[in-house]
């Protein structure tokens, strides 16, 4: 298979995943914040003050909200393919009085964030769906700050 054919297939796979999550937006606005990674991420976030966190493939952002409520001193951003999911994420953060920036996009492509902007990038439960996970991870590393 030619590289052009592989790129076209990968692009179509991203579109298929995007359409799926635009049709099935889950969990909704009534779901509770997700705290399941808070303890695992505590060593990286400390007290959270002045830390910058990106959730790549954030969906409706219940995981990011759990982090934001647990570490309110940090700055948060989320990116997802699904505009309806991002709309729920924005409403969810507003409902809980938390702050984050959100964008619609593919985290294997250029993102509307500065390079080296984040101290921590979380990508929970989406990387396996990406047709080119290596490219996605390589792209995300551009947005990590040097230690």
């Amino acid at each position: 298979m030619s590289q052009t054919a592989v790129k076209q297939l990968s692009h179509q796979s991203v579109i298929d995943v995007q359409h799926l999550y635009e049709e099935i937006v889950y969990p909704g606005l009534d779901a509770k914040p997700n705290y399941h990674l808070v303890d695992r991420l505590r060593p990286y976030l400390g007290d959270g003050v002045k830390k910058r966190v990106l959730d790549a493939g954030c969906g409706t952002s219940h995981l990011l909200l759990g982090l934001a409520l647990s570490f309110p001193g940090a700055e948060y951003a989320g990116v997802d393919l699904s505009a309806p999911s991002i709309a729920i994420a924005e409403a969810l953060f507003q409902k809980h009085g938390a702050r984050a920036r959100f964008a619609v996009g593919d985290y294997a492509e250029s993102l509307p964030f500065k390079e080296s902007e984040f101290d921590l990038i979380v990508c929970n439960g989406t990387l396996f769906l990406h047709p080119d996970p290596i490219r996605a991870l390589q792209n995300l590393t551009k947005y990590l700050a040097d230690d």
Side-chain angles (χ1 to χ4, degrees), residues 124-145:
N124 185 58
T126 63
L127 192 59
F128 73 97
L129 294 170
H130 205 284
D132 194 347
I134 292 171
R135 188 183 76 179
L137 285 173
Q138 288 171 334
N139 187 58
L140 286 173
T141 62
K142 293 189 304 190
Y143 298 95
L144 278 174

Side-chain angles (χ1 to χ4, degrees), residues 35-54:
Y35 294 100
H36 85 272
L37 285 182
V38 169
D39 287 336
R40 288 186 181 169
L41 295 177
R42 192 172 306 281
Y44 303 101
L45 290 171
D47 61 5
V49 175
K50 297 191 179 186
K51 296 291 184 177
R52 299 158 301 165
V53 180
L54 172 64

Side-chain angles (χ1 to χ4, degrees), residues 99-121:
R99 293 180 13 179
R101 296 177 294 149
F102 292 100
V104 175
D106 178 356
Y107 55 77
E109 303 295 333
S110 180
L111 296 174
F113 306 115
K114 296 176 188 168
E115 290 189 9
S116 303
E117 183 173 347
F118 298 100
D119 301 302
L120 177 68
I121 297 177

